[in-house]
Amino acid sequence: MHTEISITLFDNKQAEEYLKSLVVETQDLASPVLRSVSICTKVEEAFRQAHVIVVLDDSTDKEVFTLEDCLRSRVPLCRLYGYLIEKNAHESVRVIVGGRTFVNLKTVLLMRYAPRIAHNIIAVALGVEGEAKAVLARKLKTAPSYIKDVIIWGNISGNNYVDLRKTRVYRYESAIWGPLHYSRPVLNLIFDSEWVKREFVAILKNLTTTGRQFGGILAAHSIATTLKYWYHGSPPGEIISLGILSEGQFGIPKGIVFSMPVKFENGTWVVLTDLKDIEISEQIMTRMTSDLIQEKLVALGDKIHFQPYQSETELRKKDKRISLLITDDSQEEQVSDGRYTYTQFFKLDTGGAMRI
């Protein structure tokens, strides 16, 4: 990629000194493709003639104490960004949404408030995908780059499903060896199925809960790689995870942004609906879609309270624990109503947007 670029870093006035330090660091790269880098703190000038916009975690001066307030606080900024993008940006602008919190929600809100370019707004899922590859690589004692075709379904920064059924490892050192294009299914090489079901899931859940799945170098690499694929195409035959607006593929409800398998080609993406044996169980699908639908409804004021999905098994366990509390006054165990499984989203990180 040899096209020269000019970068504008956009945030509020309070972040100006931090933006200036980023300008100096960027200039220190002495990159041959970087023509200029500047800052913008005036809202009315944001995104002017931008060809690419990267939306990160939004900064806020307002304290929020509930998940519902946190969800609703996303709407004003996304409404403003949507209006400014349609007003100021280039007509062919491409928008990439990343960050640690509410990635799917921010993406669908931007689509709502910038309908003319909604088809060019996507959510980055490669951060979660990269973390999964790294965890698998440590288990198999190989390089993360040798692992391909990890599929991330659902909520990128929340309740998602990491699908390894198509995942393969290349150049794996074992009794069976082949040319560079030879690969083997990862699940055939990890003989401890309990590790996949428990420890692997727990490690990735912890990364999502702490927000570490989209920090620093990984965030930059995920965005840059997604942008490269968008312009130049993804590697032939490789499955890429991407958050896009559902049109009913794979039984996903329409109207929510959902991470699913795609490939990039000819300046756009194609959903890989022809993949075999990747059906998602009704319970897993319902868990993921229910939360995303509720996030959107609460954010837009169509629903007052967010109620995380609970399966019938979980509800029976909850009813049993409540019954135990009622019949035994000495029982001190607290019963959780499940609402705080989403406390991961209350971290409001300073960020902003970048115009290219």
Side-chain angles (χ1 to χ4, degrees):
M1 187 175 181
H2 302 293
T3 304
E4 287 189 341
I5 62 174
S6 296
I7 298 176
T8 300
L9 304 174
F10 169 64
D11 208 330
N12 57 39
K13 188 69 175 178
Q14 289 77 7
E16 187 170 8
E17 290 304 313
Y18 175 66
L19 294 180
K20 288 180 179 178
S21 68
L22 287 180
V23 168
V24 174
E25 287 186 37
T26 306
Q27 292 171 334
D28 289 346
L29 293 173
S31 171
V33 299
L34 181 61
R35 177 182 296 175
S36 66
V37 55
S38 58
I39 65 173
C40 175
T41 57
K42 295 181 179 179
V43 172
E44 64 274 11
E45 297 180 5
F47 315 128
R48 199 171 296 280
Q49 285 303 300
H51 289 83
V52 175
I53 297 172
V54 180
V55 180
L56 303 174
D57 288 305
D58 51 288
S59 55
T60 180
D61 298 322
K62 182 181 178 182
E63 268 191 299
V64 291
F65 298 99
T66 69
L67 172 60
E68 290 81 1
D69 287 343
C70 203
L71 289 165
R72 295 182 187 113
S73 71
R74 266 55 189 173
V75 174
L77 198 60
C78 287
R79 183 189 296 119
L80 176 62
Y81 279 8
Y83 166 75
L84 291 171
I85 290 170
E86 287 206 336
K87 178 185 176 184
N88 294 343
H90 191 274
E91 60 181 10
S92 64
V93 65
R94 303 181 184 199
V95 181
I96 298 178
V97 183
R100 293 183 173 91
T101 57
F102 298 113
V103 173
N104 296 54
L105 176 63
K106 289 185 294 187
T107 306
V108 79
L109 289 176
L110 284 173
M111 291 174 175
R112 179 185 179 91
Y113 296 117
R116 289 207 306 269
I117 54 100
H119 61 285
N120 265 5
I121 303 177
I122 61 175
V124 176
L126 290 186
V128 185
E129 190 177 310
E131 287 287 0
K133 290 177 179 178
V135 174
L136 291 169
R138 287 192 287 270
K139 178 68 173 178
L140 294 171
K141 295 180 173 57
T142 188
S145 61
Y146 296 165
I147 296 176
K148 309 291 184 183
D149 302 339
V150 174
I151 302 175
I152 308 300
W153 298 94
N155 192 343
I156 295 165
S157 53
N159 198 349
N160 53 52
Y161 173 55
V162 180
D163 190 346
L164 304 181
R165 288 173 293 180
K166 295 295 181 182
T167 307
R168 306 186 70 86
V169 59
Y170 293 76
R171 302 171 65 177
Y172 185 64
E173 296 184 13
S174 66
I176 301 175
W177 189 257
L180 292 179
H181 64 269
Y182 176 74
S183 65
R184 301 173 67 186
V186 161
L187 291 179
N188 288 357
L189 298 171
I190 300 177
F191 303 106
D192 186 358
S193 61
E194 286 301 306
W195 180 87
V196 175
K197 294 177 183 178
R198 300 182 185 279
E199 189 174 342
F200 176 68
V201 173
I203 292 171
L204 294 179
K205 183 178 180 181
N206 180 61
L207 291 170
T208 301
T209 302
T210 58
R212 286 175 53 199
Q213 90 284 2
F214 207 78
I217 295 174
L218 179 59
H221 177 72
S222 301
I223 291 169
T225 302
T226 302
L227 187 58
K228 180 180 72 173
Y229 290 167
W230 201 348
Y231 275 97
H232 301 289
S234 53
E238 191 168 325
I239 300 172
I240 307 298
S241 300
L242 185 70
I244 58 175
L245 189 67
S246 169
E247 297 179 352
Q249 306 96 326
F250 307 109
I252 302 165
K254 295 181 180 180
I256 59 174
V257 169
F258 202 88
S259 179
M260 62 184 78
V262 306
K263 64 178 178 180
F264 285 90
E265 61 181 15
N266 302 321
T268 187
W269 62 87
V270 178
V271 180
L272 298 176
T273 53
D274 57 346
L275 290 176
K276 305 296 183 183
D277 303 319
I278 59 167
E279 292 78 13
I280 305 296
S281 73
E282 183 178 352
Q283 181 176 329
I284 292 175
M285 183 64 77
T286 302
R287 181 183 294 276
M288 291 188 291
T289 57
S290 172
D291 290 345
L292 287 170
I293 291 170
Q294 285 195 81
E295 282 184 6
K296 182 180 176 182
L297 291 174
V298 172
L300 295 173
D302 296 324
K303 186 177 176 66
I304 297 175
H305 298 297
F306 183 95
Q307 294 291 339
Y309 171 80
Q310 291 181 301
S311 66
E312 292 184 7
T313 302
E314 291 169 328
L315 288 172
R316 283 196 294 269
K317 288 181 179 179
K318 178 180 175 181
D319 290 342
K320 184 177 180 181
R321 292 172 65 191
I322 292 174
S323 175
L324 185 62
L325 280 173
I326 293 173
T327 57
D328 185 358
D329 293 336
S330 65
Q331 176 63 261
E332 295 180 355
E333 182 180 12
Q334 296 295 311
V335 179
S336 168
D337 65 358
R339 288 168 56 80
Y340 296 99
T341 55
Y342 275 70
T343 52
Q344 67 209 46
F345 293 133
F346 284 82
K347 298 192 303 301
L348 301 179
D349 303 290
T350 299
M354 180 173 70
R355 183 189 77 184
I356 299 177

